[in-house]
Amino acid sequence: MASLRSRGNLTCFYCGKRSSVKFNGTISDFLCLKCDATNYLDENGEITDPPVASTTSTTQPTQYAIPRSQSPEPATQAQSIFCSTCLKNQHLFTASLAQYLPEDPDHPEYAQLEKNYYRFRQRLEERYPQICADCEPKVLAQVQQAGYTARTDHLRRMMERSRQRRALPKRWTALDMADTLGRWFWLAGLMGQLLWHFATMADALSTTTTGPLRDPDELSPAWTSVLRWMADALPQSSVLVRMSFWANLLCIWWNPKFVQVFRGFSKHIHGLSQWYIFQGLVLLVRFLGVRIAGFAGAGEGRTSAQISLHALLAIVVVVLYALAQNVDGYTDEAKSLAQRTQLA
């Protein structure tokens, strides 16, 4: 190398500045105070290459990897329900979304990019469709199978919990008491109206006429006395009507699945809206029946019309109550799942 000594002072090879160090034949390197670089010298005081020991890192001891359990290999195309095009589009879609937002939340464009995230995602979905027309039937079939399996397992667990609850002594809670009270009020409304119809018809049938205008179809005196005794034993018709009406108003919130609905398990139950529609119809029929029965019972000679009206109203109310009971229940899907789970 060319000599970097000038008038006895050594010159730095890196910055070219003259140092205050002089070569005396014994030094092999010196530190430049201007650039903090170390210059190496040969036996003649000329700049030479750094020694091998200073540039070569020491050999590190050999390290062996710790054996780990092998992770399952990713599903190949033959095992996947998606074709190669769908898999490629899904990979591009995921990778593009992962690289959309910068890692630093303080990036100057972070807020604007975050605002346009869903628009960018929509463009990606249009550019890279996730499912093609050929793969869609297979995907839908697998989704339905997975959903059916999940619902079946959930229903099986619910049935197991139900069996466990039945095996244990039942603990009455405030919710159970409210459910029982609502059921009693609901039945009291039905019984009150039926007793009202029966009392009114018994009173009408026990009415007898004497003289030449006596109806030959009237009941015998024995039956008439029995009906009169039963009509007198029951409360007055106005009391029965009010009792029936108020009983239905007090249980308007109740339904046969009240406990399940209150606890949030109402998704598998259908017909709740129809149930409350029928309860409204029962109240309407009861209100109109009282009004119409008042007109039918006014005046003389209207016994047959009054009996027919009350018999018809009783039949209508019983039919409405029966239809309301049939409407409420579980969905067909839940019933089929329960049957299949029991068979399994």
Side-chain angles (χ1 to χ4, degrees):
M1 279 190 183
S3 175
L4 293 179
R5 288 184 293 171
S6 177
R7 298 178 184 177
N9 293 335
L10 298 175
T11 303
C12 178
F13 174 77
Y14 299 98
C15 64
K17 302 292 183 179
R18 186 183 302 171
S19 67
S20 59
V21 180
K22 294 183 179 181
F23 181 71
N24 56 7
T26 59
I27 63 174
S28 60
D29 60 78
F30 72 94
L31 178 65
C32 178
L33 301 179
K34 302 293 191 301
C35 63
D36 293 332
T38 301
N39 295 264
Y40 294 92
L41 307 175
D42 58 8
E43 63 275 5
N44 298 322
E46 305 294 339
I47 296 295
T48 184
D49 295 329
V52 178
S54 63
T55 58
T56 304
S57 59
T58 58
T59 304
Q60 298 293 332
T62 304
Q63 296 182 354
Y64 298 94
I66 301 174
R68 301 180 183 273
S69 59
Q70 295 183 354
S71 58
E73 297 181 356
T76 60
Q77 182 180 349
Q79 298 173 345
S80 176
I81 60 175
F82 297 101
C83 62
S84 59
T85 303
C86 291
L87 292 175
K88 181 183 69 175
N89 288 346
Q90 292 168 10
H91 173 72
L92 293 174
F93 177 80
T94 306
S96 301
L97 278 184
Q99 299 173 3
Y100 177 69
L101 290 175
E103 296 181 359
D104 186 9
D106 297 330
H107 193 276
E109 298 181 358
Y110 190 91
Q112 184 65 25
L113 291 173
E114 187 178 18
K115 182 179 179 181
N116 298 330
Y117 174 79
Y118 291 102
R119 188 181 304 171
F120 175 75
R121 182 188 180 99
Q122 184 178 3
R123 289 200 301 267
L124 282 180
E125 291 175 351
E126 295 174 356
R127 184 182 304 174
Y128 306 116
Q130 301 297 287
I131 304 175
C132 64
D134 296 333
C135 297
E136 185 176 1
K138 295 183 291 183
V139 173
L140 291 177
Q142 184 160 345
V143 169
Q144 292 176 357
Q145 180 63 30
Y148 172 77
T149 303
R151 290 193 300 270
T152 304
D153 183 69
H154 176 66
L155 185 58
R156 179 184 60 81
R157 295 176 184 273
M158 290 179 59
M159 294 177 65
E160 289 179 355
R161 287 196 294 266
S162 299
R163 294 192 190 99
Q164 293 175 359
R165 293 193 194 100
R166 287 195 297 267
L168 297 175
K170 183 175 178 59
R171 295 181 179 178
W172 278 79
T173 62
L175 189 61
D176 296 324
M177 295 177 63
D179 179 54
T180 304
L181 185 63
R183 186 183 300 274
W184 285 351
F185 275 122
W186 185 73
L187 293 175
L190 174 62
M191 294 304 299
Q193 181 163 0
L194 293 180
L195 288 176
W196 169 54
H197 295 312
F198 177 78
T200 305
M201 289 189 293
D203 183 65
L205 289 173
S206 63
T207 302
T208 58
T209 56
T210 58
L213 298 178
R214 182 179 182 275
D215 189 355
D217 294 331
E218 286 184 358
L219 297 176
S220 61
W223 281 106
T224 302
S225 60
V226 171
L227 291 175
R228 170 55 56 187
W229 176 81
M230 295 177 66
D232 294 338
L234 292 173
Q236 295 182 359
S237 298
S238 58
V239 175
L240 292 174
V241 170
R242 286 197 298 269
M243 182 188 72
S244 175
F245 192 79
W246 281 107
N248 270 109
L249 282 181
L250 291 175
C251 72
I252 196 67
W253 48 269
W254 180 82
N255 62 78
K257 305 297 179 184
F258 172 74
V259 176
Q260 293 91 325
V261 173
F262 187 85
R263 290 174 177 169
F265 299 103
S266 60
K267 189 175 182 180
H268 59 284
I269 300 175
H270 76 105
L272 292 178
S273 57
Q274 290 88 337
W275 163 269
Y276 289 107
I277 290 175
F278 276 115
Q279 300 314 301
L281 289 176
V282 168
L283 290 175
L284 180 62
V285 169
R286 188 166 299 158
F287 177 77
L288 295 178
V290 173
R291 297 297 182 183
I292 297 173
F295 290 113
E300 299 292 339
R302 299 190 180 183
T303 302
S304 59
Q306 194 174 6
I307 294 174
S308 301
L309 175 62
H310 280 277
L312 178 62
L313 289 175
I315 294 173
V316 170
V317 170
V318 170
V319 170
L320 288 177
Y321 268 72
L323 291 176
Q325 284 286 87
N326 292 333
V327 163
D328 184 79
Y330 295 99
T331 59
D332 296 336
E333 184 180 4
K335 291 179 180 178
S336 63
L337 284 174
Q339 294 174 358
R340 294 180 185 179
T341 306
Q342 289 177 351
L343 292 176

